[in-house]
Amino acid sequence: MLFQVLFTLYTNPKEQWLSIHTLPSPILAACRHLLCIALVPTLTAYLSCTLIGWSIIPGKHFYLTSESALGLAICMYIALIFGVCLLAYLTHWMSHTFGSYPTYSDCFLLAAYIATPVFMSGLSGLVPNLAFIMLCGLMGTAYSIYLLYTGLPIIMNIPASQGFLYASSVITVALVLLISLLTATVLLWDLGISPELQFYQ
């Protein structure tokens, strides 16, 4: 089921949006989808940091200890899921402004599926090259935005013209959430909650 949803989201997103509500228990399906998809960047980051290593300083590779990486991976997994749930809440909160009256479940469906390309771009972490990861991240973000613009009018049952403004507001909120997450990470590192690094030549 997961692979079928992924395939349709990438090959025929409008068809997938139209069929989401016809899925058996759509909310449970969206929850399972989110829990599985959020594992992709989490496991990739863990494997990359513990087995593959990173090279930022020429001639040196650094790794994280397994214990340190596991703690960060768990925090990352929770943060990704929390971020999607919060995005769904804010999408629901803004809905009346744009003449839409969805349930929180509708907003959660939207948020869970538009996050898919961004989370899948986490596979790029298996190639620990910063430029490559940034490129894949930008591509994933661009496709998530496309999914949002195509899916929001369908899920929220509003005209496409109104959906464009609504989707643009959701993108703004998502960017604010991302900046907030990055800021929180920097503050935690500044407080001394940082990973344990190992350097190798």
Side-chain angles (χ1 to χ4, degrees):
M1 176 61 100
L2 175 63
F3 294 106
Q4 180 183 352
V5 171
L6 285 174
F7 181 78
T8 312
L9 274 177
Y10 280 99
T11 58
N12 196 343
K14 290 185 179 179
E15 177 187 329
Q16 183 60 44
W17 285 124
L18 290 170
S19 67
I20 279 177
H21 285 296
T22 64
L23 293 172
S25 303
I27 292 301
L28 289 178
C31 287
R32 288 194 297 267
H33 179 83
L34 176 60
L35 293 174
C36 291
I37 291 298
L39 284 172
V40 173
T42 304
L43 293 177
T44 301
Y46 177 83
L47 294 174
S48 178
C49 292
T50 56
L51 299 179
I52 301 173
W54 287 76
S55 178
I56 297 178
I57 303 173
K60 289 187 176 182
H61 284 76
F62 75 86
Y63 301 79
L64 298 183
T65 61
S66 297
E67 295 79 8
S68 179
L70 180 61
L72 289 175
I74 292 172
C75 291
M76 179 181 181
Y77 186 69
I78 294 172
L80 291 175
I81 294 173
F82 175 76
V84 170
C85 294
L86 184 56
L87 179 61
Y89 170 78
L90 293 173
T91 302
H92 182 261
W93 175 69
M94 291 187 298
S95 61
H96 295 180
T97 305
F98 298 94
S100 177
Y101 298 90
T103 63
Y104 176 80
S105 297
D106 292 329
C107 297
F108 180 77
L109 286 174
L110 183 74
Y113 288 106
I114 65 171
T116 299
V118 173
F119 287 1
M120 290 300 294
S121 69
L123 287 171
S124 61
L126 293 175
V127 182
N129 180 284
L130 187 58
F132 178 73
I133 290 174
M134 289 181 64
L135 176 62
C136 291
L138 287 173
M139 291 172 63
T141 302
Y143 197 74
S144 285
I145 292 172
Y146 172 72
L147 286 180
L148 175 62
Y149 279 113
T150 56
L152 191 143
I154 296 172
I155 298 297
M156 303 302 180
N157 194 27
I158 57 177
S161 57
Q162 195 75 1
F164 180 84
L165 296 174
Y166 191 178
S168 299
S169 299
V170 172
I171 292 170
T172 303
V173 168
L175 289 174
V176 171
L177 284 177
L178 177 61
I179 293 171
S180 300
L181 180 61
L182 293 175
T183 303
T185 303
V186 171
L187 291 175
L188 288 174
W189 279 49
D190 190 52
L191 291 173
I193 306 175
S194 57
E196 184 179 344
L197 302 178
Q198 296 176 328
F199 287 91
Y200 296 94
Q201 295 288 346

